[in-house]
Amino acid sequence: MFFFLSCLSVSLLSLLVVFCHAQTEVANTTFQVGVILDFDSVIGRIGLNSLSLALSDFYSVNANYTTKLVLHARDSRGQVIDAAASALSLLKDVEVDAIIGPQNSEQASFVIGLGDRVNVPIISFSATSPAPGYPPTSYFVRTALSDSAQVDAIAAITKHFQWSQVVLVYEDSHYGNGIIPYLFHALQDVNAQVSYRSIIPQTATDEILRQEIYKMKTTQTRIFVVHMSTSLASRFFPKVKQAGMMVEGYAWIVTSGLMDLLYSMDPDVIETMQGVLGVKPLTPRSRKLSFTATRWKKKFLHDNPDILQAELSLYGLWAYDTLWALAMVAERVGFREPPSSLQNTSVLNSTNMFSTKISQTGPKLLEAMSDVVFEGLGGKFHLVDGQLERSSFQILNVVGNGEREVGIWTPQGILNMNVTSSEKMKSIIFPGDTTIVPKGWKVPVSNKKLRIAVPTEPGFTEFIKVEKELQTNASRLTGCYIDIFDAVMAALSYAVAYEYVPFEKPDGSSAGSYDEITYQVFLQNYDAAVGDITITYKRLKYVDFALPFTGGGVSMVVPITNDHPDNKWIFLKPLKKNCGERIVSNLGRLVVVVWVFVVLILSSTYTASLSSILTAQRLKPAVTNVEELIRNGDYVGCHKGSFIVDLLQDLGFDKLKIMTYEHPSDCEKALSKGSENGGISALFAVMPYTNLFLSNYCHKYTTVGPTYPTEGFAYVFPKGSPLVADVSRAVIELTENGRIPEIERKWMKNVACNGPDGTGTSTSISLQSFNTLFGITGGITATCLVIFLVSYLYKNRDSVKRILSSNTTIWSKTCAMFKHFDERDPKSFRAKLEDGESSVPNSNLCVNTRTSTVVPVTSEEMGDVNTEQHTLAIPPP
């Protein structure tokens, strides 16, 4: 019985002890938190110092909390394998509820996979790479800004200074590569192109660094964006200065990771970075931040006596805020399920190296973490999509032993509260200790000249002419467009060495079309192309053009025909083929009387119209529109290798009906023949060609139809070439000051044409114009004369026989004939009038006024009498 009672007492006592222990555990719940950092790195030491200080500060302020975080730190030694081993140890041996770390993105890409498997949040304040290599995860939390958040700020700087080209310099690592796609897109959004990418290995030797820096120096671009760790940057920038690339004309921009740790770099390295620009997330100033920074620095220097200089960096602020956020979350969750509630699972099923358990607390911590919002040392702590909310950025300038703020970037643009509203950034000291803003590019320092391709398609030599030196066989290029390009390059604010390279085969023939020469520029076989090259959408896909230096447009040239004044029926041209009607009424006759007064005007109009026809060539085109050419199936032509072939096909011409020619003389011959005789009915050419062609053949051809709009001739450059902007500005300048028109007038002296303008030019009148009129008049006159003579001879045949049969000379006979012809017929009525006779109206009698006798007259004779003024009217008996 005693034994039973003793056993019962012991059991009750044990239960009481367990109960009391359970009550104590509920009152002081601890959450196990793992920490994985590189203890020997700057960021690792900063993080450990901040986490330790934050843990102490949090529970000093919140002493009444019933939960507490316990940290278990592990050293990753900068290796992915060590980071993974540390994570596995924490998950299996410590059974942590969360892990802060690992330190870099490469380590994080492995560790977050383990966190997903066991439902343990992986919280990193330093893995900033936005690399797409991260697996899709719900248990990774980034309590830092992603590197992608700063790309718009960097792009805004390039836009502010109008830098159109940049070189990207970054280390070949998970951290270095992650930002590049985002940086590319941001730069493109502000019309800045990446002309070169310099990828430097993390373990690059000094020789490799020197070789890569030399490559960058030989490029045209002078703006560099650098994204690398401080360890690599400490070796990189001294060699950049040694290469002479920290002088006037250069600009360097570094990302926030490097700018944030600038203070930790050797002073000698900082000295080589004078004038460098950088960005860093904006941290709001506060009294709490200043107080904490002082205590943090004191603690850091005490714990790390080998380091003489220390500052509370951005990574330190994020680490501090991370622990405060996790401590707040633990208090909200409140209860950590005992280990016995965890479920067994194998993490590495393929090796079965160990078994760990799935956390039941992790999901609760993760859910509560997304709801935490507070003002931390680094600013507002608020997670959006599992990472810290985007903020504004400082724009900093390395000057002296540190940096100074020259501007602030926000999503709305660059701001600066310390200068006038008209200024966005303070005065910046660029490399070379100058405030002169770098242009952004420069001709490469190598001895290589720019190779300028020139098309050698035969054509108008006034534009481009390629000649060979007899002794050296070297090419000599002249022409209007060569002179214009020389003038444009001379107008640049810097010297550019270049040489012309004819685009031709070894035998001197053209090496291809205009499309092919532009494609060779794209392949970088040439640095540019100059000549009569038109801007087209197809070519813009792979090259850039400067602004056009001459106008564009395609017009149609056709032969002209004219109504020549030698036309034998030209005197009928002023008349209309209209019928008149027979006048049958008195009113009609009255109208005719009125029109009699208009006869003078009509005759004058006829005279003027006929004069115009006789003194001017009436010109008209042989073809008036494209539709007529297509409908008739006519052949048309254009310059060989031109884009106009595609344009004509777009207009509806059959490809087989399009002929191409090399020389202007070939075009003229084809036009003169016409489609019916193996030639063409129309020539299509760009306006400069058309104007020059018509100046040589202006009396034979003219332009008709609309001018099809196209861009003008322009210089070709590789995509992203910095020369494009400067050359375009020079073209505008020379156009406005009249230099380009002056060069064109020099080469196009005969471009003016006094030829066909629609009405033509005046011409002299020849007798051929009146052949038909003279023929009709002469024919009628001759016919009447023959009839008269025959009638005369017949009526006077007796007298004629007598004269001709007389024994007189021929001259006497001739005189006798003329005398007989000149004698009046005594029977004629006019002879009677001259003898004093007068007609009596309304009768067939005539009164002789001298003898007062009445004589009969015929009706024909009466007609003559009525026209005389001295007729005497005698009433009828």
Side-chain angles (χ1 to χ4, degrees):
M1 185 67 179
F2 176 77
F3 177 76
F4 174 76
L5 291 174
S6 298
C7 291
L8 181 60
S9 300
V10 171
S11 299
L12 291 173
L13 182 61
S14 299
L15 289 173
L16 181 61
V17 170
V18 171
F19 177 77
C20 292
H21 178 73
Q23 290 296 321
T24 303
E25 187 177 21
V26 171
N28 298 281
T29 301
T30 58
F31 288 82
Q32 309 301 320
V33 178
V35 178
I36 303 176
L37 295 172
D38 181 2
F39 292 176
D40 290 332
S41 68
V42 175
I43 295 178
R45 294 186 181 188
I46 290 174
L48 289 173
N49 195 63
S50 293
L51 292 173
S52 176
L53 182 63
L55 187 66
S56 174
D57 289 350
F58 183 84
Y59 289 110
S60 296
V61 174
N62 302 288
N64 61 331
Y65 274 24
T66 60
T67 58
K68 187 174 183 179
L69 301 183
V70 177
L71 302 182
H72 303 271
R74 297 289 187 272
D75 186 5
S76 66
R77 297 182 177 86
Q79 302 295 321
V80 174
I81 273 195
D82 289 331
S86 298
L88 291 172
S89 174
L90 291 170
L91 292 171
K92 178 183 178 182
D93 301 333
V94 183
E95 297 181 343
V96 293
D97 302 300
I99 293 178
I100 297 178
Q103 182 169 313
N104 61 51
S105 303
E106 195 169 5
Q107 298 169 5
S109 64
F110 184 86
V111 173
I112 60 180
L114 299 177
D116 283 347
R117 294 290 298 273
V118 295
N119 295 351
V120 172
I122 307 298
I123 306 170
S124 178
F125 61 85
S126 56
T128 57
S129 174
Y134 284 167
T137 176
S138 59
Y139 281 87
F140 176 65
V141 178
R142 195 200 317 266
T143 55
L145 283 177
S146 169
D147 285 336
S148 62
Q150 63 186 309
V151 296
D152 288 336
I154 295 173
I157 296 175
T158 64
K159 180 180 179 181
H160 177 78
F161 292 112
Q162 298 181 355
W163 292 329
S164 61
Q165 298 285 319
V166 299
V167 172
L168 297 184
V169 186
Y170 56 97
E171 68 176 46
D172 190 10
S173 67
H174 207 281
Y175 166 75
N177 294 313
I179 192 178
I180 300 305
Y182 301 91
L183 195 52
F184 256 102
H185 293 155
L187 291 170
Q188 287 179 349
D189 289 342
V190 295
N191 297 320
Q193 302 293 325
V194 176
S195 61
Y196 181 70
R197 291 190 298 171
S198 178
I199 308 173
I200 302 177
Q202 287 179 288
T203 57
T205 63
D206 290 347
E207 182 60 26
I208 292 177
L209 286 176
R210 277 191 290 267
Q211 292 176 0
E212 194 57 40
I213 290 171
Y214 178 76
K215 291 179 183 178
M216 291 187 285
K217 188 176 182 179
T218 57
T219 63
Q220 296 177 342
T221 308
R222 291 295 179 261
I223 311 300
F224 302 89
V225 177
V226 181
H227 180 64
M228 59 178 60
S229 62
T230 55
S231 59
L232 184 57
S234 296
R235 300 170 52 224
F236 174 78
F237 278 104
K239 289 178 175 54
V240 168
K241 186 169 185 180
Q242 291 174 8
M245 298 173 67
M246 277 294 177
V247 295
E248 183 177 340
Y250 286 85
W252 296 82
I253 305 173
V254 298
T255 55
S256 64
L258 187 54
M259 201 68 194
D260 183 53
L261 298 176
L262 180 70
Y263 75 91
S264 67
M265 302 173 71
D266 189 277
D268 292 336
V269 175
I270 297 177
E271 193 277 330
T272 65
M273 298 175 64
Q274 296 298 299
V276 169
L277 292 174
V279 296
K280 186 168 71 172
L282 178 64
T283 302
R285 296 183 179 90
S286 65
R287 186 174 301 176
K288 178 182 179 181
L289 174 60
S290 300
F291 177 68
T292 304
T294 301
R295 294 188 300 111
W296 183 94
K297 183 176 182 179
K298 182 178 180 180
K299 183 178 187 307
F300 184 87
L301 294 176
H302 178 269
D303 295 343
N304 301 276
D306 57 319
I307 297 180
L308 302 179
Q309 177 65 25
E311 297 292 341
L312 179 55
S313 71
L314 199 61
Y315 293 110
L317 297 177
W318 286 338
Y320 188 95
D321 291 344
T322 297
L323 192 130
W324 271 64
L326 189 56
M328 295 169 65
V329 166
E331 183 65 21
R332 292 185 182 182
V333 172
F335 177 71
R336 178 177 184 267
E337 295 189 18
S340 60
S341 64
L342 299 181
Q343 300 176 1
N344 289 329
T345 185
S346 175
V347 176
L348 296 179
N349 293 326
S350 60
T351 60
N352 288 322
M353 292 177 61
F354 70 96
S355 295
T356 187
K357 303 173 182 178
I358 294 179
S359 172
Q360 301 299 311
T361 306
K364 299 177 182 178
L365 293 174
L366 182 66
E367 182 180 0
M369 193 81 173
S370 62
D371 296 331
V372 172
V373 179
F374 66 96
E375 285 296 327
L377 292 184
K380 183 179 180 181
F381 187 95
H382 179 213
L383 298 179
V384 178
D385 296 328
Q387 62 185 4
L388 199 62
E389 187 178 22
R390 187 182 184 188
S391 68
S392 301
F393 282 81
Q394 290 178 287
I395 301 176
L396 304 170
N397 189 197
V398 178
V399 179
N401 294 326
E403 76 273 357
R404 68 186 183 99
E405 182 184 289
V406 294
I408 296 175
W409 177 88
T410 69
Q412 289 72 40
I414 295 178
L415 307 173
N416 196 319
M417 304 303 178
N418 300 322
V419 295
T420 61
S421 59
S422 61
E423 299 175 343
K424 292 186 176 180
M425 298 180 70
K426 292 182 181 178
S427 178
I428 296 174
I429 306 299
F430 290 100
D433 195 24
T434 178
T435 57
I436 299 176
V437 178
K439 182 178 292 291
W441 81 282
K442 191 176 182 181
V443 177
V445 297
S446 63
N447 294 326
K448 173 187 173 184
K449 294 182 178 180
L450 296 181
R451 287 167 48 85
I452 310 298
V454 180
T456 57
E457 290 284 355
F460 289 103
T461 56
E462 291 88 343
F463 295 134
I464 294 178
K465 184 178 182 180
V466 181
E467 297 176 305
K468 293 288 185 180
E469 299 287 349
L470 295 178
Q471 296 179 349
T472 63
N473 200 37
S475 299
R476 189 171 75 91
L477 289 92
T478 57
C480 177
Y481 294 160
I482 298 297
D483 285 357
I484 291 177
F485 183 75
D486 290 339
V488 167
M489 300 307 287
L492 299 178
S493 59
Y494 44 85
V496 178
Y498 60 93
E499 61 180 352
Y500 294 114
V501 181
F503 188 60
E504 61 185 8
K505 298 177 182 178
D507 60 359
S509 62
S510 175
S513 66
Y514 291 88
D515 286 341
E516 290 169 343
I517 193 174
T518 55
Y519 190 70
Q520 290 299 314
V521 175
F522 164 74
L523 296 177
Q524 298 188 358
N525 292 327
Y526 300 97
D527 298 300
V530 170
D532 49 344
I533 306 175
T534 302
I535 302 174
T536 65
Y537 176 73
K538 177 181 178 181
R539 297 167 185 169
L540 279 172
K541 292 180 179 179
Y542 46 89
V543 293
D544 281 343
F545 285 88
L547 289 178
F549 58 86
T550 188
V554 174
S555 58
M556 181 171 68
V557 179
V558 298
I560 55 175
T561 59
N562 62 300
D563 293 335
H564 202 274
D566 289 345
N567 186 349
K568 299 177 178 58
W569 298 97
I570 198 169
F571 65 92
L572 296 178
K573 290 290 184 179
L575 302 179
K576 299 292 184 180
K577 295 180 180 180
N578 296 330
C579 300
E581 298 179 0
R582 173 177 292 184
I583 303 174
V584 296
S585 67
N586 292 331
L587 291 177
R589 295 187 179 93
L590 178 62
V591 172
V592 171
V593 172
V594 175
W595 272 96
V596 168
F597 295 97
V598 186
V599 169
L600 179 60
I601 299 176
L602 295 178
S603 61
S604 300
T605 303
Y606 174 84
T607 302
S609 178
L610 183 60
S611 299
S612 174
I613 294 174
L614 292 175
T615 57
Q617 297 181 16
R618 307 300 295 182
L619 306 177
K620 63 179 181 180
V623 181
T624 58
N625 54 64
V626 168
E627 291 74 15
E628 182 179 351
L629 292 170
I630 298 174
R631 183 172 58 252
N632 296 337
D634 290 342
Y635 286 89
V636 295
C638 64
H639 190 58
K640 184 178 180 180
S642 172
F643 73 98
I644 298 179
V645 173
D646 296 331
L647 174 63
L648 293 176
Q649 293 184 63
D650 293 339
L651 291 176
F653 285 97
D654 187 341
K655 187 176 183 179
L656 299 177
K657 297 291 184 180
I658 302 174
M659 313 297 291
T660 58
Y661 301 94
E662 293 183 345
H663 297 279
S665 58
D666 297 334
C667 298
E668 196 280 328
K669 291 178 182 178
L671 275 173
S672 62
K673 291 181 179 179
S675 290
E676 300 83 1
N677 301 313
I680 57 176
S681 297
L683 172 68
F684 289 83
V686 292
M687 290 304 299
Y689 279 3
T690 299
N691 295 334
L692 197 54
F693 182 84
L694 290 180
S695 70
N696 295 329
Y697 306 102
C698 59
H699 295 287
K700 299 178 64 176
Y701 307 103
T702 187
T703 58
V704 296
T707 298
Y708 299 97
T710 64
E711 296 295 335
F713 295 157
Y715 306 127
V716 183
F717 295 96
K719 275 284 188 182
S721 172
L723 272 172
V724 173
D726 290 339
V727 168
S728 297
R729 281 189 284 266
V731 168
I732 295 175
E733 177 186 355
L734 295 184
T735 301
E736 291 182 350
N737 64 22
R739 178 57 180 152
I740 289 181
E742 178 184 345
I743 295 174
E744 290 177 337
R745 288 192 297 270
K746 168 188 170 184
W747 286 95
M748 316 295 173
K749 294 180 180 178
N750 299 324
V751 74
C753 178
N754 296 323
D757 59 358
T759 58
T761 56
S762 62
T763 182
S764 60
I765 304 174
S766 66
L767 292 177
Q768 294 178 351
S769 301
F770 301 97
N771 281 352
T772 300
L773 183 61
F774 289 159
I776 294 174
T777 303
I780 294 174
T781 303
T783 301
C784 294
L785 178 62
V786 169
I787 295 174
F788 174 77
L789 289 175
V790 171
S791 175
Y792 168 77
L793 293 173
Y794 179 77
K795 291 180 180 180
N796 298 279
R797 56 186 178 277
D798 294 336
S799 298
V800 172
K801 288 181 180 180
R802 185 174 60 252
I803 294 173
L804 293 178
S805 61
S806 64
N807 294 324
T808 59
T809 63
I810 295 177
W811 174 252
S812 298
K813 292 178 181 181
T814 302
C815 292
M817 287 291 295
F818 277 107
K819 183 177 181 182
H820 182 272
F821 179 81
D822 190 52
E823 291 179 353
R824 299 197 182 274
D825 185 357
K827 298 179 181 181
S828 69
F829 182 67
R830 184 163 299 278
K832 296 177 182 179
L833 288 177
E834 291 179 354
D835 291 335
E837 296 178 356
S838 179
S839 63
V840 179
N842 300 324
S843 70
N844 291 329
L845 298 178
C846 182
V847 179
N848 190 311
T849 58
R850 285 181 292 183
T851 61
S852 300
T853 60
V854 179
V855 296
V857 294
T858 64
S859 59
E860 290 82 358
E861 291 174 333
M862 283 297 296
D864 293 334
V865 172
N866 289 334
T867 60
E868 299 295 330
Q869 297 296 324
H870 58 274
T871 57
L872 178 64
I874 299 177

